[in-house]
Amino acid sequence: MTKIVVTGGAGFIGSAAVRLLVKNPGAEVTVIDKMTYAANRANIAPAEATGRCRLIIEDICNAAGMTEIIAAERPDQILHLAAESHVDRSISGPRDFVETNVLGTYNLLEAARAYWSTLAGAARDTFRFLHVSTDEVYGSLGDEGLFTEETPYDPSSPYSASKAASDHLAKAWHRTYGLPVIISNCSNNYGPHHFPEKLMPLVILNALEGKALPVYGKGDNIRDWLHVEDHARALALIASKGRPGETYNVGGRNERTNLQVVEAICDTLDRIVPAERSRRGLITFVADRPGHDHRYAVDAAKLERELGWRAEETFETGLEKTIRWYLANEKWWRPLRKSVYSGERLGLPAGAKA
Ligand SMILES: NC(=O)c1ccc[n+]([C@@H]2O[C@H](COP(=O)([O-])OP(=O)(O)OC[C@H]3O[C@@H](n4cnc5c(N)ncnc54)[C@H](O)[C@@H]3O)[C@@H](O)[C@H]2O)c1
């Protein structure tokens, strides 16, 4: 059995990784998750049903707790995804981002180091700590060029700054202590089980309910979109075949402006569930996000060349699958829209106009 600990495994990307990992009958997964607003036990229900996935509800900010759990679980791999992940929330309340993303990562690195130092032979050689990060650490691109693994860090938001800090810690734990750490930096994900505060699910659900579709600024900010299951495949591959000490960029070569994304959602919905009027009529331009990066685009050539990874979904196939998932899973999102987050604007400085 390969024992894998996934932190943040009840969230959007973590749960996609967990659902994929348990497809291997030789894998056993332990999820460590604090179960914040962004987590949902239903996300890992299919994995738990295999009998090879269990959830430990714990905060990665609990240093002693992390040391104890990692020592008891004796994992072959740790996939570290637990994080505060929403840029707008980081603007309104950065403290949680520093605590979880920076100090929580520090606790896990230390817990992993304490456990790894007790290992010998093959177990010590094959142990891996995969620190899952974002392309946002690289800052903003102009109209040309791509982020490579060598692009200098230049984060803009409290979220990306906290992720950049955690990447530096992860790198240092490899260089200083030899801990077999690998870092992955991925572009914007979309897909099923995405908490409805993020652009795609928010727009899909607002459009279904005939509500305004908020687009920040002029909608000309560019993101590089990757289906979450392609990201999960990349993570499983990097954790088992990636080289310790290395960084791998993950991206879909699917650059779209935010306005193009919103229009594509409208057009796909109009085709699948026609309404009286085109949903494009619901598009509403709102105040821009402070410090809004202009463009992200990732060069994933290293991951493709070294590990043979390829994205399986195009933007069009992935988007249609995602929309169909939200249409079929109202039971998943309806309670979240009612009681956890109903679509109000987040991340504007006090007094600013939405
Ligand atoms: N969403 C994206 O487009 C994207 C892209 C690249 C990288 N990432 C990175 O991938 C990781 C997962 O992102 P996501 O979109 O799935 O986020 P998410 O917000 O959906 O999930 C985060 C999970 O972490 C858990 N968590 C938060 N604080 C915790 C704590 N203190 N202790 C234990 N668990 C805690 C939450 O309960 C949740 O289950 C993050 O590290 C993020 O930076 C995200």
Side-chain angles (χ1 to χ4, degrees):
M1 275 288 168
T2 305
K3 289 208 71 177
I4 308 166
V5 161
V6 181
T7 72
F12 169 49
I13 302 171
S15 69
V18 170
R19 294 191 302 275
L20 173 74
L21 291 168
V22 296
K23 285 189 182 156
N24 171 2
E28 207 174 274
V29 175
T30 301
V31 171
I32 302 175
D33 202 300
K34 182 183 171 183
M35 303 304 283
T36 68
Y37 77 96
N40 195 325
R41 186 122 191 200
N43 294 353
I44 52 169
E48 288 188 287
T50 65
R52 285 178 290 102
C53 170
R54 73 191 181 99
L55 169 67
I56 299 177
I57 299 179
E58 187 53 270
D59 188 337
I60 61 167
C61 295
N62 175 355
M66 286 308 110
T67 307
E68 217 171 277
I69 292 169
I70 299 302
E73 292 299 312
R74 307 190 60 75
D76 301 296
Q77 299 174 357
I78 298 175
L79 273 58
H80 173 39
L81 294 99
E84 287 293 337
S85 69
H86 191 36
V87 175
D88 289 342
R89 285 185 196 264
S90 83
I91 296 168
S92 316
R95 174 176 282 276
D96 285 350
F97 288 73
V98 175
E99 285 177 354
T100 287
N101 300 0
V102 185
L103 292 174
T105 298
Y106 160 74
N107 290 338
L108 263 172
L109 286 165
E110 279 295 75
R113 182 164 79 94
Y115 162 65
W116 178 70
S117 68
T118 66
L119 300 178
R124 184 180 170 89
D125 293 343
T126 56
F127 175 82
R128 296 289 180 268
F129 184 111
L130 173 54
H131 175 67
V132 179
S133 192
T134 164
D135 63 350
E136 299 191 29
V137 297
Y138 299 124
S140 187
L141 286 166
D143 291 330
E144 299 288 314
L146 300 171
F147 295 135
T148 71
E149 288 79 3
E150 277 72 47
T151 303
Y153 277 31
D154 187 20
S156 301
S157 70
Y159 163 66
S160 53
S162 69
K163 291 298 293 188
S166 68
D167 291 14
H168 290 316
L169 291 179
K171 230 167 258 184
W173 259 241
H174 172 72
R175 287 190 192 159
T176 305
Y177 304 113
L179 187 70
V181 173
I182 310 177
I183 299 173
S184 63
N185 294 92
C186 188
S187 61
N188 274 49
N189 282 215
Y190 68 97
H193 302 272
H194 205 181
F195 189 82
E197 65 189 352
K198 304 278 169 74
L199 178 69
M200 279 222 198
L202 179 71
V203 168
I204 294 169
L205 300 182
N206 276 13
L208 276 176
E209 294 177 347
K211 293 185 178 155
L213 310 180
V215 173
Y216 291 177
K218 296 192 192 107
D220 55 1
N221 302 72
I222 297 169
R223 300 292 178 262
D224 179 356
W225 292 92
L226 182 71
H227 191 273
V228 69
E229 285 160 14
D230 277 323
H231 189 190
R233 279 187 277 273
L235 295 179
L237 191 63
I238 295 168
S240 51
K241 303 255 167 63
R243 288 183 289 137
E246 294 291 317
T247 289
Y248 294 89
N249 279 355
V250 191
R253 291 200 177 84
N254 280 312
E255 287 184 53
R256 297 285 186 285
T257 66
N258 287 346
L259 184 59
Q260 285 171 330
V261 169
V262 174
E263 288 175 345
I265 292 171
C266 291
D267 298 348
T268 311
L269 269 176
D270 288 349
R271 178 164 52 77
I272 304 177
V273 273
E276 256 171 46
R277 273 186 229 112
S278 163
R279 270 104 173 174
R280 283 192 185 212
L282 299 169
I283 292 173
T284 308
F285 293 94
V286 298
D288 207 350
R289 169 189 281 166
H292 203 179
D293 287 332
H294 171 60
R295 175 171 168 257
Y296 303 143
V298 164
D299 182 357
K302 178 178 174 182
L303 176 62
E304 293 169 342
R305 196 177 55 243
E306 283 191 15
L307 305 185
W309 175 85
R310 288 278 178 288
E312 290 179 13
E313 300 291 347
T314 65
F315 182 75
E316 288 70 28
T317 59
L319 180 64
E320 177 154 350
K321 277 188 189 167
T322 304
I323 289 177
R324 290 192 185 279
W325 186 86
Y326 280 91
L327 288 170
N329 288 279
E330 189 169 340
K331 254 193 3 218
W332 183 88
W333 55 262
R334 180 70 66 195
L336 300 178
R337 296 266 286 182
K338 247 197 195 139
S339 52
V340 187
Y341 174 70
S342 52
E344 65 279 8
R345 179 73 196 263
L346 300 167
L348 282 177
K353 274 188 123 185

